[in-house]
Each structure stands twice: as structure tokens, then as C-alpha cells.
Amino acid sequence: MKPKHPSESLTILTDMVLPSETNALHNLFGGELLARMDRAASISAGRHSRQVSVTASVNHVAFNKSIALGSVVIIEAKVSRAFKTSMEIYIDVWVEDRKSGERTKANEAIYTFVAVDATGKPVEVPQIIPETKLEINRYDDALRRKQLSLVLAGKMKPEEATELKALFV
């Protein structure tokens, strides 16, 4: 299977925050943002694997800035690392100023997707070759994140988490 670059999975969703999508403070519901990020990550995983890909976990979400009613929201998702059948998708959420066009990072998230066949059985995915400094950093960090998740879930012994140990030794 031929490795791919993260840019090949880049998915950009642009939308506007409507009144029915806001809370009492007229800010985008967190759940609405999660759904948008999930859709973008799903498309990104599918572009990378060329398979149906399903959400395995939401590993991290940071709601750093609220997103106001009427805001233009840009969600950028791309595969940061591929394992055997799973892919880590890193998502950046931007708010675009309508007058200046300037973008401000509002939130970020990390999802894990698994590629599956028609019966729902996991299938192998192409590996990733990061190109930019940011892609390389996210690629390297993905293994530590995966090991931490496995240790916390009781699926890996802490002494087997070599990447995590390297941070402290």
C-alpha cells in the first residue's frame, strides 16, 4: 500500500453559525461543533483510506473560544498519523472575520477513525509521510497519545509504553 501525505486527506468545511445552533448566550452549541468536526474528520479519514471510516474515539477537544451567532466557521481536518487500521485526525477550528478575512483559531480536536469493509471489519490503511514541521510534530506526538490512551484503557502496560517513558527518562 502506497504511503500518503497528510495534505491528501485535507478536508475544509466552511459554514455559518445560525440561530438554531446556538445556546442562550448566542454561541454555537458545543455538540453542534462536535458534529461538524466529526463530519470533517470522517471525510478526511475516507480520503486517506478510500474506505468507509467510522469514529473510534474523540481523544481530545479544546473549546478555547466561543463561536458567536453569525460567525463564519472553518474546520480543517487531516490525518496526522495512520496505524494499522486506525487513523488519528487532527482538527483545527477557525473563526473568520467577515470584514477583514482574518482567521483566529478558536478550537481544536483529535479524533480516531477506523477504516472498515462492507461487513464492518477493520481494514489496513496507508501509512502517512508528514511533510511540514507541524505535520511532523503531530505525527510524532500521535504515537505518544495512542500509547497514553492504551495505558489508561488498560490495554497496554505502562512499562510497554516506550514513547511515553522516553519523555521522562
Side-chain angles (χ1 to χ4, degrees), residues 5 7 12 25 30 37 46 60 66 71 74 84 98-99 103 109 112 118 127-128 135 140 142 144-146 161:
H5 300 285
S7 58
I12 301 172
L25 298 174
M37 291 188 294
H60 169 76
S66 58
S71 294
I74 298 117
K84 185 175 180 179
R98 291 164 146 214
K99 291 182 181 179
R103 293 182 180 183
T112 298
Q127 292 303 300
I128 283 284
E135 289 171 355
D140 290 341
R144 288 186 280 278
R145 287 189 289 270
K146 181 174 182 166

Side-chain angles (χ1 to χ4, degrees), residues 5-27:
H5 300 285
S7 58
E8 295 177 71
S9 67
L10 177 63
T11 300
I12 301 172
L13 298 181
T14 304
D15 206 352
M16 185 182 301
V17 178
L18 302 174
S20 64
E21 302 164 332
T22 62
N23 60 25
L25 298 174
H26 304 290
N27 293 318

Side-chain angles (χ1 to χ4, degrees), residues 90-116:
Y90 210 102
I91 303 159
D92 294 301
V93 179
W94 305 87
V95 175
E96 182 178 285
D97 182 278
R98 291 164 146 214
K99 291 182 181 179
S100 70
E102 183 180 329
R103 293 182 180 183
T104 304
K105 188 167 180 180
N107 304 293
E108 63 184 15
I110 302 169
Y111 283 50
T112 298
F113 274 73
V114 173
V116 296

Side-chain angles (χ1 to χ4, degrees), residues 114-131:
V114 173
V116 296
D117 65 16
T119 66
K121 181 183 174 205
V123 295
E124 287 192 36
V125 299
Q127 292 303 300
I128 283 284
I129 301 173
E131 297 177 290

